Structure formats: C-alpha cells, structure tokens
Amino acid sequence: MAYRKQLTRLKAPYLKRILLEPARVADWEKYPWNLPLFRGQAFELEFTTPITIIVGENGTGKSTLLEAIGALAGYDEAGGGKGYRPVDHSSAIDKSGAALADTLRAHWLPKVTAGWFFRAESFYSVARYLDQAALDSGGPPPDFLSWSHGEGFIRFFEERCSRQGIYILDEPESALSPSRQIELLKMLGRMDRSGTAQVIMATHSPLLMACPGARLFRISRFGLDPADFQDTDHFRMFKDFCIDPQSFMAEALQEDGE
C-alpha cells in the first residue's frame, strides 16, 4: 500500500487505551452512562492489535462508543475526515457520543489521528460533500455515487483507507454483499500487515467478526469482554440457520403464545 505521508515509524495501534473518569460523569442514570458498559462506574478498553472489533445487540452502546472514540480523535460525530462537516446535525437531539467523550481519557503512542470515521448512515452525505469539495477546488470529483451502493463503499474504502492513520468503521457491512465483505476483509488484511493503520470497527456481520488477527470484544448485559467470534449470538444464529434452515425459520418466526 502506498502512503502519502508517514507520520511516525511506530507501528499501530496508536490509540492504546481509553478509560472512564467517574469524576467527570454528572448523572449515572442518564444515557449512555447507565449502560452495562459502565457497570460499577468503571470502564477501560485496551487496544493491543491493529484491528479491534466490537459486537453487540442494538442499543448496547456500540455506535455511541465509536462516536466517542471519533470525538477523542477529533472527528465529527456524523463521520468523515478531519475538517469535514458533511452533515448539519447542529440541532440533533442525540449528542451522546460527544458527551461520553468528555468523560473519557485516551492514551496514545504516538497521537496519530489522521484517517477517517466511516458511518454507513451518512455515506451519501459524505460522498456528495467530497464531490462538491473537489469541484470547488477545480479538480475531478471522486464520484463514489456513480457506482452501486456496495461498489461505492468498496471504492471509498480503497481510496480513503490507504494511508497511515486511525480508521473508525461503524457497521460497514450495511451495503455490502457477502462477496463484498470478503473484499473488505482482504483490505483489512492489507491494512493489518502494513503496520501503519489502526482500525476500530463495530459490526453485526459474522464474516467481518472473523477477521484474522483482529481482537474482538462483545458487549452484553455484563459489560464489555474479549470473545471469540464463534461464541457470539450472531455466529450461532447463522450457524443454526445453515444447519437446518426450515427448523430454524419455524422456531424463529413463531409468535408468542403459539
């Protein structure tokens, strides 16, 4: 992979650890501090590998945690790169990611915050922003939107994730077929081997959870703990479906009381 600028000769991960500082929390009954993540009014997450994957059900705080990490690295909550403000969310009610970041402390070695914060839900807004920014500067637009959704995602990753930095990916599988997810896994493998990219990813995809060399954490009602992808509810559900699709569907679709 060709990198435009090497910011340090030290290898990823650059963000080594984040921890909650209880004295900064004003109300433990308020979201997100009332999540199981912060049970006992304590939280610490150590990054020991270039790729870290976080899994859990909806509502467990995955995206909020990624938003907080993005804020600690200087990114806008809506996603994008440094200095990008592709989405106007100044009047949005949910500010939980930035609020959480204010109660966290980050340890870097060194502090490499170049990179990208990718959010599937804001991809179109980011892509349009990049097109307009290129046109305003007199250059050709990257034009990610002329491709199918999944192809646009992959082209975006290939172009924007090919330099030294930290990359935060929130559910990148949203528009990717299984074969496109394999393409993303190949890309993650190249980033891992380069030693110059740190990836922190939240996902529901068993394929992405199985990324070789990645360290996986599972959020549950007990908090955040290391896990093997084969022990996740996501993997077990898909495994049960593949073994016996008919029986799985009959049981899964049964209404309460039947």
Side-chain angles (χ1 to χ4, degrees):
M1 298 174 70
Y3 290 84
R4 298 183 182 179
K5 181 180 179 182
Q6 186 161 336
L7 304 173
T8 177
R9 293 185 179 276
L10 294 177
K11 300 294 186 180
Y14 308 115
L15 178 59
K16 299 294 187 183
R17 185 167 63 116
I18 56 173
L19 68 158
L20 182 70
E21 295 200 323
R24 297 183 181 181
V25 179
D27 186 356
W28 289 100
E29 298 301 317
K30 186 177 180 180
Y31 184 90
W33 300 278
N34 59 358
L35 288 169
L37 268 177
F38 309 114
R39 185 182 304 276
Q41 300 185 0
F43 172 80
E44 183 173 337
L45 175 56
E46 186 176 8
F47 301 94
T48 59
T49 55
I51 300 177
T52 301
I53 299 173
I54 300 172
V55 304
E57 279 299 324
N58 293 331
T60 56
K62 299 188 309 300
S63 292
T64 300
L65 181 59
L66 259 63
E67 288 174 7
I69 294 172
L72 290 169
Y75 291 96
D76 185 77
E77 287 179 277
K82 286 296 183 67
Y84 289 90
R85 293 293 183 270
V87 181
D88 180 10
H89 59 287
S90 58
S91 60
I93 296 174
D94 184 12
K95 302 286 186 179
S96 53
L100 176 59
D102 289 339
T103 62
L104 296 175
R105 186 169 77 248
H107 296 262
W108 304 79
L109 186 64
K111 190 172 184 179
V112 174
T113 61
W116 202 268
F117 181 14
F118 176 85
R119 303 197 65 174
E121 62 194 47
S122 61
F123 174 73
Y124 280 109
S125 296
V126 171
R128 285 193 293 267
Y129 180 96
L130 293 172
D131 282 347
Q132 189 59 52
L135 290 171
D136 291 345
S137 64
D143 198 19
F144 297 115
L145 299 181
S146 292
W147 302 74
S148 72
H149 202 178
E151 289 174 322
F153 270 38
I154 291 296
R155 289 190 66 243
F156 179 88
F157 291 139
E158 288 175 342
E159 179 175 318
R160 298 286 160 170
C161 299
S162 60
R163 63 196 73 168
Q164 187 176 54
I166 182 169
Y167 297 91
I168 304 166
L169 311 181
D170 190 10
E171 299 182 12
E173 73 276 8
S174 296
L176 299 179
S177 68
S179 62
R180 292 297 184 187
Q181 291 181 44
I182 295 298
E183 290 300 311
L184 178 56
L185 281 171
K186 291 178 181 178
M187 192 182 311
L188 290 172
R190 293 193 295 270
M191 295 169 77
D192 187 17
R193 291 189 296 273
S194 75
T196 58
Q198 179 174 3
V199 177
I200 303 171
M201 175 172 63
T203 184
H204 290 295
S205 166
L207 276 174
L208 297 185
M209 292 178 199
C211 180
R215 190 180 186 196
L216 186 143
F217 290 89
R218 177 177 55 192
I219 302 177
S220 70
R221 66 181 184 277
F222 303 109
L224 180 71
D225 297 293
D228 186 277
F229 78 94
Q230 296 185 66
D231 294 328
T232 64
D233 293 337
H234 307 71
F235 177 84
R236 289 170 175 169
M237 180 179 294
F238 278 93
K239 180 181 178 182
D240 290 345
F241 171 78
C242 291
I243 291 174
D244 189 347
Q246 288 76 24
S247 296
F248 176 88
M249 295 303 292
E251 181 177 351
L253 298 181
Q254 184 173 354
E255 298 286 354
D256 293 340
E258 290 185 357

